[in-house]
Amino acid sequence: MVKFSEDKLKEVQSMIDRYPKGKQKSALIPLLHLAQDEFGGWLSAETMDYVASILGIEPIEVYEVATFYSMYNLKPVGKHVFEVCHTGPCMLNGSDHIIAYIKRKLDINVGETTADGMFTLKTVECLGACGYAPMMQMGINYREHLTEAKVDAIIEECRNKQ
Amino acid sequence: MAKKLLLEKAHVEGIRHYDVYRREGGYAAVEKALKMEPAAIVEEVKKSGLRGRGGAGFPSGMKWSFLAKPEGVPRYLVCNADESEPGTFKDRYLMEFLPHLLIEGLIVSSFALGSNRTYIYIRGEYAWIVGILEQAIAEAKQNGFLGKNILGSGFDCEIYVQRGAGAYICGEETALIESLEGKRGNPRIKPPFPAIKGLWDCPTVVNNVETLAAVVPIMNMGGEEYAKIGVGRSTGTKLISACGNINKPGVYEIDMTISVEEFIYSDEYCGGIPNGKRLKACIPGGSSVPILPANLLLKTAKGETRLMNYESLSDGGFATGSMMGSGGFIVLDEDQCVVKNTLTLARFYRHESCGQCSPCREGTGWMEKILTKIENGKGAMSDIDLLWDIQRKIEGNTICPLGDAAAWPVAAAIRHFRDEFEWHVNNPARCQTQNYGLAHYADPIHVPA
Ligand SMILES: Cc1cc2nc3c(=O)[nH]c(=O)nc-3n(C[C@H](O)[C@H](O)[C@H](O)COP(=O)(O)O)c2cc1C
Ligand code: SF4
Ligand code: FES
């Protein structure tokens, strides 16, 4: 069963307090981020229903939002998600090459997760790091100026975190 | 060195923290503003000639003066930190290095507009910046610049940071408001404009990060002095985020009198193109604005030197000019393929369309498909005309300007580089391995020695 800890519930309340009375629905997007982080890196129907109950809104209002924004995962993902940018400026600096390299190295296609559940590879649109291309997002951090050697080091780093 | 109004202190050790920022003269603008009438601050911003730095370039003082002030209804200021236009990463830089500058600008602006609750809507991917901003807000509050009765003025203000969750469209102001209300980022039909009916149906001003930060130097030096910097209606300084094929990508604060040529080639800015390559093309104001071939980029159609400002960049209209846009400056060297670059942008707009209007939802999908065909050597000549036709049918026929933003890059690519599209059709075997266009487009002035 999904349920926030007492500490997290305090955080939820402080999110709701940022808005005028009766406007608690505004907390939905930050709350979904919190829920995704807490409950396994993705939003199951159960998680979304729980979020709806906290905010006193209909579950459909949560589904509508969760399906609109690209940062919410609607199915399970690997422990480490590589989100490589492939928009114009990154493409001009070789993002195609980096994506191909990661595919080879992890033996997966874009959108797939490695069999051991460690890595998911995604391509994403411009992340506002165009001057530091090629780049990817991993968790809350950006990894910039990617090269094959850097990708190797990042994969190594993730494996060592086990 | 050009005069810096925003980034001058960006590299002072510890400037992210209140003590250092204050010691360097920070929060003087708040002290000054709170002794003035709110209307007088709006007047200063009008005099400064400041234009919105988010992309549209609308005069900020005028926008502020449109804000409705019905009795007993709260008003809101919302800072647009959604920054998702490909090529643009200047707001990120400002928030990361000078968070207090933004907070200071927000306090002055909130006072001028009468907003007691101000929100910073930041794109969800900038997750680590949320912490930086919240730290700055907490420090400002501890020192009496936020909270109740700021500096004894009777003015109360809180600033909250709201994280988005991955949607370019939430940079459009009404979509941003919807998102802030906890909904999908579907733009609203205007009118009513946010100045009348915005966040929770209350009068609202939405401004870009850089716009609101610029209020600080305007307060400190006065609107008239600020207006003396720059040229014509391009007053003050502008942050440019430069990327693509240049030696020194990064964020630069420019005085809007310098030429495009100086910006690309001087060591103070982009430092030229790597490996001695020649300049082929440039998208000077973020992915939505028209791409220009090197010759039209450096000189206008009239043969005048093109400058890095609103008027000069748009000289010649869309036929031979472009736009200042968000200041996302994307450079393509001689090895780059315009068709492929346009394809990645078309894919971006298809991905980011909210889907409310058929011309945008369907048209962006078709443009991506046709460009994919052409790029992969499967296109026909008639596809180029079809592409042109589709972009024309999107432009002007949608609820929000994302439709136009998707149409313009495609239109400009065909307008200026039609023979490159045709070459793809005529050379299906070579179009994935070889670039066309060097002889035609690479800038003849800058042949490396
Ligand atoms: C599709 C779309 C995306 C936009 N994205 C942004 C953005 O990321 N940041 C921004 O400041 N303005 C963005 N804008 C412009 C805003 O709608 C609005 O004009 C701007 O925030 C106003 O602030 P300013 O007057 O200070 O520039 C976008 C507009 C459109 C149509
Ligand atoms: S133009 Fe596109 S993004 Fe804008 S409202 Fe219409 S469908 Fe949505
Ligand atoms: S294009 Fe990749 S971060 Fe902007």
Side-chain angles (χ1 to χ4, degrees), chain B residues 169 187 352-357 360-361 398-403:
Chain B
I169 191 57
E352 302 301 337
S353 168
C354 84
Q356 282 191 109
C357 334
C360 172
R361 181 187 61 242
T398 56
I399 294 176
C400 92
L402 186 137

PDB file of all heavy atoms in Angstrom, chain B residues 169 187 352-357 360-361 398-403, ligand 2:
ATOM      1  N   ILE B 169       5.325  23.837 -23.536  1.00  0.00           N
ATOM      2  CA  ILE B 169       4.166  24.720 -23.696  1.00  0.00           C
ATOM      3  C   ILE B 169       3.875  25.500 -22.415  1.00  0.00           C
ATOM      4  O   ILE B 169       3.289  26.576 -22.452  1.00  0.00           O
ATOM      5  CB  ILE B 169       2.926  23.921 -24.173  1.00  0.00           C
ATOM      6  CG1 ILE B 169       1.786  24.847 -24.613  1.00  0.00           C
ATOM      7  CG2 ILE B 169       2.445  22.936 -23.128  1.00  0.00           C
ATOM      8  CD1 ILE B 169       2.142  25.828 -25.697  1.00  0.00           C
ATOM      9  N   PRO B 187      -2.960  26.086 -23.294  1.00  0.00           N
ATOM     10  CA  PRO B 187      -3.108  27.535 -23.335  1.00  0.00           C
ATOM     11  C   PRO B 187      -4.580  27.954 -23.364  1.00  0.00           C
ATOM     12  O   PRO B 187      -5.431  27.223 -23.883  1.00  0.00           O
ATOM     13  CB  PRO B 187      -2.410  27.922 -24.640  1.00  0.00           C
ATOM     14  CG  PRO B 187      -1.399  26.854 -24.854  1.00  0.00           C
ATOM     15  CD  PRO B 187      -2.059  25.597 -24.356  1.00  0.00           C
ATOM     16  N   GLU B 352       5.939  18.742 -28.341  1.00  0.00           N
ATOM     17  CA  GLU B 352       5.505  19.730 -27.353  1.00  0.00           C
ATOM     18  C   GLU B 352       4.122  20.319 -27.612  1.00  0.00           C
ATOM     19  O   GLU B 352       3.597  21.050 -26.775  1.00  0.00           O
ATOM     20  CB  GLU B 352       6.532  20.859 -27.247  1.00  0.00           C
ATOM     21  CG  GLU B 352       7.953  20.395 -26.880  1.00  0.00           C
ATOM     22  CD  GLU B 352       8.024  19.665 -25.542  1.00  0.00           C
ATOM     23  OE1 GLU B 352       7.137  19.882 -24.703  1.00  0.00           O
ATOM     24  OE2 GLU B 352       8.955  18.852 -25.353  1.00  0.00           O
ATOM     25  N   SER B 353       3.535  20.033 -28.776  1.00  0.00           N
ATOM     26  CA  SER B 353       2.192  20.552 -29.050  1.00  0.00           C
ATOM     27  C   SER B 353       1.232  20.025 -27.989  1.00  0.00           C
ATOM     28  O   SER B 353       1.231  18.836 -27.692  1.00  0.00           O
ATOM     29  CB  SER B 353       1.728  20.079 -30.434  1.00  0.00           C
ATOM     30  OG  SER B 353       0.339  20.333 -30.583  1.00  0.00           O
ATOM     31  N   CYS B 354       0.389  20.901 -27.437  1.00  0.00           N
ATOM     32  CA  CYS B 354      -0.520  20.428 -26.388  1.00  0.00           C
ATOM     33  C   CYS B 354      -1.681  19.657 -26.975  1.00  0.00           C
ATOM     34  O   CYS B 354      -2.389  18.962 -26.269  1.00  0.00           O
ATOM     35  CB  CYS B 354      -1.005  21.590 -25.529  1.00  0.00           C
ATOM     36  SG  CYS B 354      -2.420  22.457 -26.222  1.00  0.00           S
ATOM     37  N   GLY B 355      -1.907  19.825 -28.293  1.00  0.00           N
ATOM     38  CA  GLY B 355      -2.930  19.028 -28.961  1.00  0.00           C
ATOM     39  C   GLY B 355      -4.318  19.629 -29.017  1.00  0.00           C
ATOM     40  O   GLY B 355      -5.248  18.999 -29.507  1.00  0.00           O
ATOM     41  N   GLN B 356      -4.489  20.859 -28.543  1.00  0.00           N
ATOM     42  CA  GLN B 356      -5.829  21.459 -28.552  1.00  0.00           C
ATOM     43  C   GLN B 356      -6.307  21.852 -29.942  1.00  0.00           C
ATOM     44  O   GLN B 356      -7.501  21.815 -30.213  1.00  0.00           O
ATOM     45  CB  GLN B 356      -5.838  22.747 -27.715  1.00  0.00           C
ATOM     46  CG  GLN B 356      -5.883  22.568 -26.242  1.00  0.00           C
ATOM     47  CD  GLN B 356      -6.161  23.893 -25.548  1.00  0.00           C
ATOM     48  OE1 GLN B 356      -7.237  24.085 -25.009  1.00  0.00           O
ATOM     49  NE2 GLN B 356      -5.208  24.797 -25.559  1.00  0.00           N
ATOM     50  N   CYS B 357      -5.387  22.358 -30.785  1.00  0.00           N
ATOM     51  CA  CYS B 357      -5.832  22.843 -32.101  1.00  0.00           C
ATOM     52  C   CYS B 357      -5.371  21.872 -33.175  1.00  0.00           C
ATOM     53  O   CYS B 357      -4.212  21.469 -33.204  1.00  0.00           O
ATOM     54  CB  CYS B 357      -5.254  24.210 -32.455  1.00  0.00           C
ATOM     55  SG  CYS B 357      -4.795  25.255 -31.093  1.00  0.00           S
ATOM     56  N   CYS B 360      -2.110  22.657 -35.397  1.00  0.00           N
ATOM     57  CA  CYS B 360      -0.850  22.459 -34.689  1.00  0.00           C
ATOM     58  C   CYS B 360      -0.640  20.981 -34.396  1.00  0.00           C
ATOM     59  O   CYS B 360       0.410  20.417 -34.690  1.00  0.00           O
ATOM     60  CB  CYS B 360      -0.841  23.291 -33.408  1.00  0.00           C
ATOM     61  SG  CYS B 360       0.561  22.983 -32.321  1.00  0.00           S
ATOM     62  N   ARG B 361      -1.627  20.330 -33.842  1.00  0.00           N
ATOM     63  CA  ARG B 361      -1.483  18.915 -33.462  1.00  0.00           C
ATOM     64  C   ARG B 361      -1.172  18.050 -34.682  1.00  0.00           C
ATOM     65  O   ARG B 361      -0.228  17.271 -34.677  1.00  0.00           O
ATOM     66  CB  ARG B 361      -2.769  18.422 -32.783  1.00  0.00           C
ATOM     67  CG  ARG B 361      -2.722  16.972 -32.322  1.00  0.00           C
ATOM     68  CD  ARG B 361      -4.089  16.512 -31.817  1.00  0.00           C
ATOM     69  NE  ARG B 361      -5.094  16.587 -32.874  1.00  0.00           N
ATOM     70  CZ  ARG B 361      -6.184  17.343 -32.846  1.00  0.00           C
ATOM     71  NH1 ARG B 361      -6.443  18.101 -31.799  1.00  0.00           N
ATOM     72  NH2 ARG B 361      -7.030  17.351 -33.868  1.00  0.00           N
ATOM     73  N   THR B 398      -4.039  29.089 -34.890  1.00  0.00           N
ATOM     74  CA  THR B 398      -4.031  28.303 -33.659  1.00  0.00           C
ATOM     75  C   THR B 398      -4.310  29.189 -32.443  1.00  0.00           C
ATOM     76  O   THR B 398      -4.267  30.412 -32.535  1.00  0.00           O
ATOM     77  CB  THR B 398      -2.656  27.621 -33.466  1.00  0.00           C
ATOM     78  OG1 THR B 398      -1.643  28.620 -33.488  1.00  0.00           O
ATOM     79  CG2 THR B 398      -2.384  26.613 -34.566  1.00  0.00           C
ATOM     80  N   ILE B 399      -4.573  28.532 -31.326  1.00  0.00           N
ATOM     81  CA  ILE B 399      -4.896  29.261 -30.094  1.00  0.00           C
ATOM     82  C   ILE B 399      -3.682  30.018 -29.575  1.00  0.00           C
ATOM     83  O   ILE B 399      -3.775  31.157 -29.158  1.00  0.00           O
ATOM     84  CB  ILE B 399      -5.404  28.280 -29.007  1.00  0.00           C
ATOM     85  CG1 ILE B 399      -6.754  27.676 -29.431  1.00  0.00           C
ATOM     86  CG2 ILE B 399      -5.542  28.989 -27.652  1.00  0.00           C
ATOM     87  CD1 ILE B 399      -7.286  26.622 -28.468  1.00  0.00           C
ATOM     88  N   CYS B 400      -2.530  29.380 -29.589  1.00  0.00           N
ATOM     89  CA  CYS B 400      -1.347  30.019 -29.012  1.00  0.00           C
ATOM     90  C   CYS B 400      -0.244  30.069 -30.058  1.00  0.00           C
ATOM     91  O   CYS B 400      -0.329  29.428 -31.100  1.00  0.00           O
ATOM     92  CB  CYS B 400      -0.894  29.273 -27.757  1.00  0.00           C
ATOM     93  SG  CYS B 400       0.328  27.993 -28.071  1.00  0.00           S
ATOM     94  N   PRO B 401       0.798  30.831 -29.804  1.00  0.00           N
ATOM     95  CA  PRO B 401       1.853  30.979 -30.826  1.00  0.00           C
ATOM     96  C   PRO B 401       2.758  29.764 -31.009  1.00  0.00           C
ATOM     97  O   PRO B 401       3.669  29.832 -31.824  1.00  0.00           O
ATOM     98  CB  PRO B 401       2.679  32.171 -30.307  1.00  0.00           C
ATOM     99  CG  PRO B 401       1.882  32.787 -29.212  1.00  0.00           C
ATOM    100  CD  PRO B 401       0.996  31.727 -28.664  1.00  0.00           C
ATOM    101  N   LEU B 402       2.525  28.655 -30.315  1.00  0.00           N
ATOM    102  CA  LEU B 402       3.383  27.491 -30.571  1.00  0.00           C
ATOM    103  C   LEU B 402       3.226  27.030 -32.024  1.00  0.00           C
ATOM    104  O   LEU B 402       4.182  26.586 -32.652  1.00  0.00           O
ATOM    105  CB  LEU B 402       3.099  26.331 -29.617  1.00  0.00           C
ATOM    106  CG  LEU B 402       4.087  25.161 -29.773  1.00  0.00           C
ATOM    107  CD1 LEU B 402       4.533  24.617 -28.425  1.00  0.00           C
ATOM    108  CD2 LEU B 402       3.553  24.029 -30.624  1.00  0.00           C
ATOM    109  N   GLY B 403       2.029  27.170 -32.548  1.00  0.00           N
ATOM    110  CA  GLY B 403       1.810  26.799 -33.944  1.00  0.00           C
ATOM    111  C   GLY B 403       2.723  27.592 -34.867  1.00  0.00           C
ATOM    112  O   GLY B 403       3.400  27.031 -35.737  1.00  0.00           O
TER     113      GLY B 403
HETATM  114  S1  SF4 C   2      -1.072  26.065 -31.009  1.00  0.00           S
HETATM  115 FE1  SF4 C   2      -0.441  24.010 -30.441  1.00  0.00          FE
HETATM  116  S2  SF4 C   2       0.396  24.217 -28.377  1.00  0.00           S
HETATM  117 FE2  SF4 C   2      -0.790  26.096 -28.800  1.00  0.00          FE
HETATM  118  S3  SF4 C   2      -2.830  25.684 -27.994  1.00  0.00           S
HETATM  119 FE3  SF4 C   2      -2.860  25.017 -30.130  1.00  0.00          FE
HETATM  120  S4  SF4 C   2      -2.317  22.829 -30.083  1.00  0.00           S
HETATM  121 FE4  SF4 C   2      -1.760  23.709 -28.120  1.00  0.00          FE
END
